[in-house]
Structures are given as C-alpha cells and as structure tokens.
C-alpha cells in the first residue's frame, strides 16, 4: 500500500460515524449505491457547520448517508433532496427517522434533478450538494451556483472519479467532464474553490457574488 493509500485509509478510519450513518452506509453497499466516504462525510459536516447552513439542497439522495452528515453539521437546517430512485428515498426516509431527524427538516423529491432544479429559487440556499449522474455534473454545478446564495457553497464529491481525473491519459466522458469542471472553476473569479483529495475527491466551491 502506497503512502497516499495509507493516508486515505487513515482519514476514513479515524472518523467515528453515528450508528444510523454506519447502518445506512452498509445498506448503500448492499444496494450498490456509491455513498460518500466517512472522511468526505465528515468534511461536508464541517463545511455545513462553518457555513451556518439553514437551507441545503442535495442532488442524489442515495439512502441518506450524505444527507445525515450534512445535517450533523447543520442541526437546525432543512434538507431538500432529489433523486430518481423512489426505493432509495424510502430507505433514506427511514434512516433519517432512525437518526432522530425530524420529518419536517427533510423534503424528498423523486424526479430528474435537471427537471426539478430550474424551478427552485436562485440565491436561496447555503449549500448545494452534487452527487448524482456524473455525466451531468457540469450542468448540476451550474444550477448549484445559481441556487447558492452569495457566500454559499457547492460541494461535489467523487471529483477525482476513481483516480481517473488526475490522469490526462484517461479521456472517457466522465473523467473529462470532471477535469473540465475543476479547471473552469479554478479559473473563475466568481468563486473561490478547493479540491480535497479525501475519499474520491471533494470539490468545494464558494460563491462570492450573485
């Protein structure tokens, strides 16, 4: 195991996940849902806490792992989560309840994010979490930056996409899309951004102005 692999493993192993999150993570594995790693979850909770988030949008519910981490950092926030998989959202709803999260703090929308997001209010959300179809990640982030308030943050897990994004020889559509996103965001004067290498990568984009 390389030094980097040891660092990644240590960053995940040092995280203490709540029982409900650990249970949902196991459920994700059983259903074939690619949940965020413990280290990425912990980092999103820190961002939610430092942002003082009150309103969060999540693109890609899964069975609730990332949503629970976000609400851990923002215990007074409301979460609107969008996913095409009704069955996964039903599991997520149960997991949120078991985690002690009040039902009125979570709104689950079943549908295509690209149909739902245009109807949502711009400059209205503290955090937009993007973890859905990787082939549409650029469009999701564009919507996310529209929805985020000035000072709000768009979070994009899996931004290194299985180690392919950092390798210029990898030219598949998903790796190229993430690579384009990272480079365009880094060059933008409308945001400040950072790419963390925890887990499968976490791109953090904070909006400077409307």
């Amino acid at each position: 195991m390389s030094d980097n692999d040891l660092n990644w493993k240590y960053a995940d192993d040092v995280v203490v996940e709540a029982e409900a999150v650990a249970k949902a993570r196991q459920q994700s594995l059983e259903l074939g849902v690619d949940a965020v790693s413990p280290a990425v979850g912990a980092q999103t909770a820190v961002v939610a806490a430092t942002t003082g988030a009150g309103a969060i949008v999540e693109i890609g519910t899964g069975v609730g792992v990332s949503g629970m981490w976000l609400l851990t950092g923002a215990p007074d926030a409301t979460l609107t989560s969008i996913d095409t998989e009704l069955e996964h959202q039903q599991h997520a709803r149960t997991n949120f309840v078991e985690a002690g999260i009040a039902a009125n703090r979570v709104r689950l929308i079943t549908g295509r994010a690209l149909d739902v997001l245009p109807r949502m209010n711009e400059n209205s959300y503290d955090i937009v979490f993007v973890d859905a179809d990787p082939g549409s990640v650029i469009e999701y982030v564009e919507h996310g930056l529209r929805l985020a308030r000035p000072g709000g943050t768009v979070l994009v897990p899996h931004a290194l996409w299985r180690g392919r994004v950092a390798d210029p020889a990898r030219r598949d559509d998903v790796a190229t899309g993430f690579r384009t996103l990272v480079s365009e965001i880094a060059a933008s004067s409308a945001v400040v951004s950072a790419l963390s290498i925890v887990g499968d990568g976490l791109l953090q984009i904070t909006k400077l102005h409307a």
Side-chain angles (χ1 to χ4, degrees):
M1 185 176 288
S2 69
D3 288 345
N4 282 339
D5 289 338
L6 285 171
N7 288 336
W8 284 319
K9 184 177 186 304
Y10 179 74
D12 275 334
D13 289 348
V14 77
V15 175
V16 178
E17 288 195 305
E19 182 178 348
V21 179
K23 179 181 176 182
R25 180 176 302 287
Q26 180 59 40
Q27 191 176 58
S28 294
L29 291 172
E30 294 167 358
L31 293 172
V33 177
D34 193 4
V36 298
S37 75
V40 169
Q43 195 160 333
T44 62
V46 169
V47 173
T50 55
T51 303
I56 301 171
V57 174
E58 179 183 48
I59 305 168
T61 309
V63 299
V65 173
S66 51
M68 284 189 279
W69 267 118
L70 288 161
L71 293 176
T72 296
D76 297 321
T78 56
L79 173 72
T80 300
S81 189
I82 307 163
D83 203 299
T84 58
E85 296 290 339
L86 176 60
E87 179 187 355
H88 292 170
Q89 287 192 323
Q90 289 173 335
H91 287 302
R93 190 180 301 279
T94 299
N95 292 333
F96 286 131
V97 170
E98 291 185 359
I101 297 168
N104 63 1
R105 293 181 56 210
V106 180
R107 178 190 181 202
L108 300 180
I109 300 174
T110 306
R112 292 180 66 250
L114 292 178
D115 295 332
V116 175
L117 295 170
R119 303 197 297 267
M120 302 183 77
N121 294 332
E122 63 183 35
N123 298 320
S124 298
Y125 296 91
D126 302 297
I127 291 176
V128 181
F129 187 83
V130 177
D131 188 16
D133 171 24
S136 300
V137 67
I138 292 176
E139 292 172 277
Y140 292 148
V141 170
E142 288 173 349
H143 280 292
L145 289 171
R146 180 183 64 82
L147 298 180
R149 63 165 175 80
T153 297
V154 177
L155 297 171
V156 188
H158 306 294
L160 293 174
W161 195 247
R162 313 191 190 323
R164 297 177 188 173
V165 174
D167 182 356
R170 301 279 192 159
R171 299 182 180 276
D172 58 278
D173 289 345
V174 172
T176 299
F178 274 110
R179 199 175 296 126
T180 299
L181 172 65
V182 170
S183 61
E184 289 185 353
I185 287 297
S188 174
S189 60
V191 301
V192 290
S193 65
L195 177 59
S196 169
I197 63 170
V198 295
D200 196 23
L202 179 65
L203 180 61
Q204 302 159 85
I205 312 163
T206 297
K207 183 174 177 178
L208 293 179
H209 49 76

